[in-house]
Amino acid sequence: MKKQEKGRISKGKMARLIKALKEGDSFDKEKAIETLVAFPDKTVIEQVIPLLDGNVTQARMSAWEVLKKVGHHNIEAVAALLDHESEDIRVYAAEILGTLKEKSTLPQLIKKIHDESPNVRNVVCIALGSFNDEIAVDALLEALHDDDWIAFSAIEALGKTGNERAVKPLLAVFKDGSEEVSLAACEGLMGFNDEKIKNEIFDILKRWEPDKRGIFVDIILDKVDDETFGNMKERMGQEVFEHLFNSVRNDTGKPVSLIRLLAHFRRTEACDAILYVLSSMNPDDEEYTEVLNVFAHLSDVWKDRIAYYVEQNEGYVMPVIESCKIAGVEIAEALLLKIFLATSMEVKREIIKNLPVFLKGGGLSVIKEAIKDPDGHVRGDALTVIGIMSLEVMKDDVIAAVRKGFLDVRIHALKALMRLDFDNGLELIRTFVNSGSDDDKRLYLAVAKFGDADNNFPFVVKLLSDEDDKIRRAVIGVIGYFLDDERYMAMLVKLLMDENISHETLKVIREKRLTIFRDRLQEIFQDTDKELWTRYYALSALSTFEDGSLFDTFVNGLKDDNSIIKIACIKALADLNDVRALEHIYPFAQSDDNDVRSTAEFVIGRLEGF
């Protein structure tokens, strides 16, 4: 008994809580509701109920919230509100009782199915849907004859009960009711998830005219699962197909889910409609790829209609080409040439880039046109394809393209030549390196990694002493490809020991994580007479080693005058995952330099996590 008394709310506190519900701010109301719900009894309910009849909206809402949670502690008092003179109070009462689901209140709720207020009758229908009880079902069946909007709520409630007695009346409403309640009945009946009921609905829909049937089919398809759609397709396949076809064809903004359903029919008309949708979409849209894949997976249906499609609409060409690539559908060379000659630059690029994937034939006619195309991307991709397809008959054209043209195209051509005739390509490179222009030398540098150490060595030696500084620096990157060869490692050591160390040398060491150069890198970093970015790249290389013995080197770097070095040292310390670094980094969280401060704050947060 003492325990019960201890859980009661005193009169004084109760008064304060009720006042908070009436006059308090949002925080006060929330706390008051929490307390009243935590210590519920009849007194709480009696004190809260009058707030429903007050003038303060927030107080009414607070009382409503409390009663929905703990009203069962005085259910008689709550149920008595159904007879209140105020329509609003009766609505509140019905909502609360529907939430509480106390079976003892059913007779009082059912009585209100005849309330003079349509608002009350409507909420009572909604509340009765919470009770799977025969007398509740009886009342709801009676409410089907009320005003449409109330009948709508009764139908939804009957669907919630799942009571089989509701099926026959709902079918009658579905067949003969107004559109609004008929739609609600359709949804309610589908919610029973009974195959027999669904099939009866499908049979009824099949007999209706398309204009009447359409909105019902839309509602069903919006939530349909594979099994239900299979049954629907079996019972009214042509009608469903026509509906989906017209929906997709006439409204290209239809969701992908409907397009997928249409694809189930695997008909040429379905392919036509989906392709039409694709032609109106932006290829950058997220859904474009989804729809494209749906179309591609129908390739067995449309593969013989490619010529028809590309003649119908220029907008069809790109999705058809992309779908052929996805599905591996071959296109006859003559047709492909015809498409290529008449299409846009974007489609030409797509065709040439993927020519080996969907070409049916030798491809020479298309490639010969492509290497003459004004677009450099098309020419470059054509040259790449020549190499991939080993088309030696085109070697002279490839060599001509290697010798002259835009650098990007020449790179494609030289790569192709190295596939077709490696020795010939190597001879051209030798000429370029020994007596070529700067662009010739850059051309070599772009393909150097496709050769081996022996082939490249004389070219690298030659270009390391080139008069153009950019060429000299670029060739250092080639050294990085072949460091397993001691000749290349010797060159890198020599470059690192030079007084003026190139950044490219340090970048190679960083990318390859060459820890054998740790001591030399420390010397470079600690030499404050060195140029800033040289020191920075040396530090950057050291940081990739994640070597704990470099802790003091990075800490000392924090004293540097330059903020770039400070930031790099803070990051390097972070990569060591050593919490000792915190005491050295903390002061930089107060730095006047925004970049230094933000880096320090981020690293502190990370290290404190350890």
Side-chain angles (χ1 to χ4, degrees):
M1 188 70 183
K2 288 182 180 179
K3 185 175 180 181
Q4 185 179 358
E5 289 294 320
K6 186 177 180 181
R8 293 174 64 89
I9 300 173
S10 67
K11 288 184 179 180
K13 185 171 185 178
M14 178 67 77
R16 291 192 296 274
L17 292 171
I18 297 300
K19 185 177 181 181
L21 294 181
K22 289 180 178 178
E23 304 172 5
D25 57 23
S26 297
F27 179 79
D28 292 335
K29 285 183 171 63
E30 184 179 340
K31 290 299 179 185
I33 291 170
E34 287 179 4
T35 303
L36 292 166
V37 169
F39 301 99
D41 59 18
K42 283 193 172 186
T43 303
V44 168
I45 308 306
E46 290 169 357
Q47 293 294 318
V48 170
I49 281 177
L51 296 180
L52 291 172
D53 199 21
N55 296 322
V56 182
T57 301
Q58 289 300 320
R60 291 201 305 271
M61 292 298 98
S62 297
W64 177 73
E65 187 174 342
V66 171
L67 293 172
K68 283 205 301 180
K69 292 178 178 178
V70 297
H72 55 276
H73 285 274
N74 195 346
I75 197 67
E76 298 84 2
V78 177
L81 296 174
L82 288 170
D83 295 320
H84 198 282
E85 62 180 2
S86 167
E87 174 188 331
D88 289 344
I89 300 297
R90 300 200 300 278
V91 168
Y92 287 140
E95 289 178 336
I96 293 166
L97 292 173
T99 302
L100 295 175
K101 303 178 186 178
E102 287 280 350
K103 193 172 181 178
S104 62
T105 64
L106 260 177
Q108 290 157 283
L109 267 172
I110 290 170
K111 181 181 175 184
K112 288 299 163 182
I113 207 78
H114 300 293
D115 195 278
E116 62 183 19
S117 165
N119 290 324
V120 174
R121 299 200 302 275
N122 186 61
V123 176
V124 167
C125 286
I126 296 170
L128 290 174
S130 302
F131 298 86
N132 188 11
D133 189 280
E134 293 296 328
I135 61 172
V137 172
D138 288 336
L140 289 169
L141 291 174
E142 186 178 350
L144 292 177
H145 304 290
D146 207 328
D147 296 337
D148 278 359
W149 67 287
I150 297 172
F152 185 93
S153 296
I155 291 167
E156 285 195 333
L158 284 167
K160 286 176 65 179
T161 67
N163 193 294
E164 291 183 1
R165 289 175 52 223
V167 173
K168 190 173 180 180
L170 287 178
L171 279 169
V173 173
F174 168 57
K175 287 190 286 186
D176 303 319
S178 66
E179 184 175 83
E180 183 179 0
V181 294
S182 182
L183 284 167
C186 181
E187 285 196 86
L189 288 165
M190 292 297 294
F192 278 81
N193 203 26
D194 181 285
E195 186 175 337
K196 185 178 179 181
I197 295 172
K198 290 177 181 179
N199 287 342
E200 191 162 354
I201 291 173
F202 300 153
D203 291 342
I204 293 170
L205 288 173
K206 182 179 176 70
R207 295 192 294 269
W208 286 357
E209 291 296 318
D211 288 345
K212 180 179 180 181
R213 179 173 58 225
I215 190 170
F216 292 86
V217 176
D218 275 336
I219 283 177
I220 294 172
L221 294 180
D222 185 51
K223 300 176 182 177
V224 75
D225 55 43
D226 289 341
E227 183 179 354
T228 300
F229 183 72
N231 291 340
M232 192 178 188
K233 184 181 174 187
E234 183 178 337
R235 308 288 291 203
M236 50 181 301
Q238 182 60 28
E239 290 75 18
V240 174
F241 172 75
E242 289 175 359
H243 178 83
L244 285 168
F245 176 83
N246 290 326
S247 295
V248 171
R249 190 67 172 78
N250 297 330
D251 182 1
T252 55
K254 286 292 183 183
V256 178
S257 57
L258 285 188
I259 294 172
R260 291 188 186 280
L261 292 177
L262 178 60
H264 276 273
F265 289 90
R266 306 192 74 80
R267 300 186 190 178
T268 55
E269 298 96 321
C271 298
D272 296 348
I274 296 170
L275 183 57
Y276 179 77
V277 172
L278 281 167
S279 71
S280 66
M281 295 180 75
N282 185 335
D284 294 329
D285 290 345
E286 290 183 12
E287 292 188 336
Y288 179 84
T289 301
E290 293 183 61
V291 178
L292 185 69
N293 281 314
V294 171
F295 182 74
H297 288 122
L298 292 171
S299 61
D300 59 311
V301 181
W302 55 256
K303 64 183 180 181
D304 295 328
R305 292 169 62 82
I306 295 173
Y308 168 77
Y309 283 145
V310 298
E311 289 175 0
Q312 287 294 305
N313 188 332
E314 171 64 22
Y316 289 175
V317 180
M318 180 63 92
V320 166
I321 293 297
E322 290 176 317
S323 298
C324 288
K325 175 183 69 175
I326 294 169
V329 173
E330 292 186 337
I331 306 174
E333 182 175 349
L335 176 57
L336 207 49
L337 176 62
K338 184 178 179 180
I339 296 170
F340 182 85
L341 293 174
T343 195
S344 65
M345 177 182 66
E346 289 76 12
V347 177
K348 286 182 177 180
R349 290 179 180 179
E350 192 70 18
I351 289 173
I352 293 302
K353 187 168 53 178
N354 299 288
L355 193 64
V357 176
F358 47 61
L359 172 67
K360 184 177 183 180
L364 282 177
S365 62
V366 181
I367 293 173
K368 285 179 178 179
E369 292 296 331
I371 60 173
K372 297 186 294 185
D373 197 87
D375 181 70
H377 292 285
V378 173
R379 295 200 307 278
D381 287 335
L383 290 159
T384 297
V385 168
I386 290 171
I388 291 171
M389 297 176 66
S390 300
L391 299 176
E392 293 199 18
V393 69
M394 299 293 296
K395 187 168 71 172
D396 289 344
D397 298 276
V398 173
I399 292 173
V402 172
R403 291 183 179 280
K404 185 178 180 182
F406 292 115
L407 181 60
D408 288 345
V409 177
R410 295 178 69 195
I411 290 171
H412 283 280
L414 184 52
K415 289 179 181 178
L417 183 59
M418 300 295 279
R419 286 173 177 263
L420 296 174
D421 186 342
F422 186 83
D423 291 339
N424 200 333
L426 201 62
E427 189 57 38
L428 275 175
I429 289 173
R430 185 173 291 106
T431 302
F432 291 156
V433 169
N434 290 328
S435 58
S437 66
D438 288 346
D439 264 1
D440 290 338
K441 295 168 184 174
R442 291 189 185 96
L443 176 57
Y444 154 68
L445 293 170
V447 302
K449 63 182 177 182
F450 299 105
D452 60 25
D454 289 335
N455 292 326
N456 277 285
F457 186 72
F459 305 144
V460 172
V461 172
K462 173 72 174 176
L463 294 181
L464 276 175
S465 58
D466 194 86
E467 60 184 19
D468 188 315
D469 181 59
K470 292 180 180 179
I471 298 295
R472 291 198 305 274
R473 286 189 279 112
V475 79
I476 294 172
V478 178
I479 293 175
Y481 298 143
F482 306 109
L483 288 174
D484 289 339
D485 187 307
E486 61 183 18
R487 295 172 296 174
Y488 287 84
M489 181 61 78
M491 283 192 282
L492 188 66
V493 170
K494 183 176 184 300
L495 289 167
L496 188 62
M497 298 308 294
D498 283 348
E499 182 62 27
N500 296 315
I501 306 163
S502 71
H503 300 162
E504 283 68 22
T505 301
L506 299 169
K507 289 176 184 178
V508 168
I509 295 171
R510 179 186 64 189
E511 289 166 8
K512 301 296 181 180
R513 295 192 175 191
L514 301 175
T515 56
I516 58 171
F517 296 120
R518 189 193 67 172
D519 293 344
R520 176 57 178 155
L521 291 173
Q522 281 185 281
E523 290 177 13
I524 296 167
F525 169 59
Q526 292 167 348
D527 185 351
T528 54
D529 291 330
K530 294 285 186 190
E531 183 256 345
L532 168 65
W533 290 106
T534 301
R535 296 180 61 223
Y536 170 82
Y537 284 115
L539 172 58
S540 179
L542 287 168
S543 70
T544 64
F545 299 163
E546 297 180 5
D547 182 348
S549 68
L550 294 170
F551 182 86
D552 290 337
T553 299
F554 298 149
V555 168
N556 290 331
L558 294 174
K559 302 171 186 176
D560 200 274
D561 294 334
N562 191 281
S563 60
I564 292 173
I565 298 296
K566 289 177 182 174
I567 290 170
C569 286
I570 292 172
K571 291 179 178 179
L573 286 167
D575 290 337
L576 295 178
N577 295 327
D578 188 333
V579 294
R580 292 180 302 151
L582 281 169
E583 65 176 296
H584 302 287
I585 298 173
Y586 278 136
F588 294 97
Q590 310 300 322
S591 174
D592 293 331
D593 186 305
N594 290 335
D595 294 332
V596 172
R597 184 173 64 253
S598 62
T599 302
E601 289 171 348
F602 175 79
V603 169
I604 288 168
R606 174 180 162 186
L607 289 176
E608 285 181 339
F610 286 95

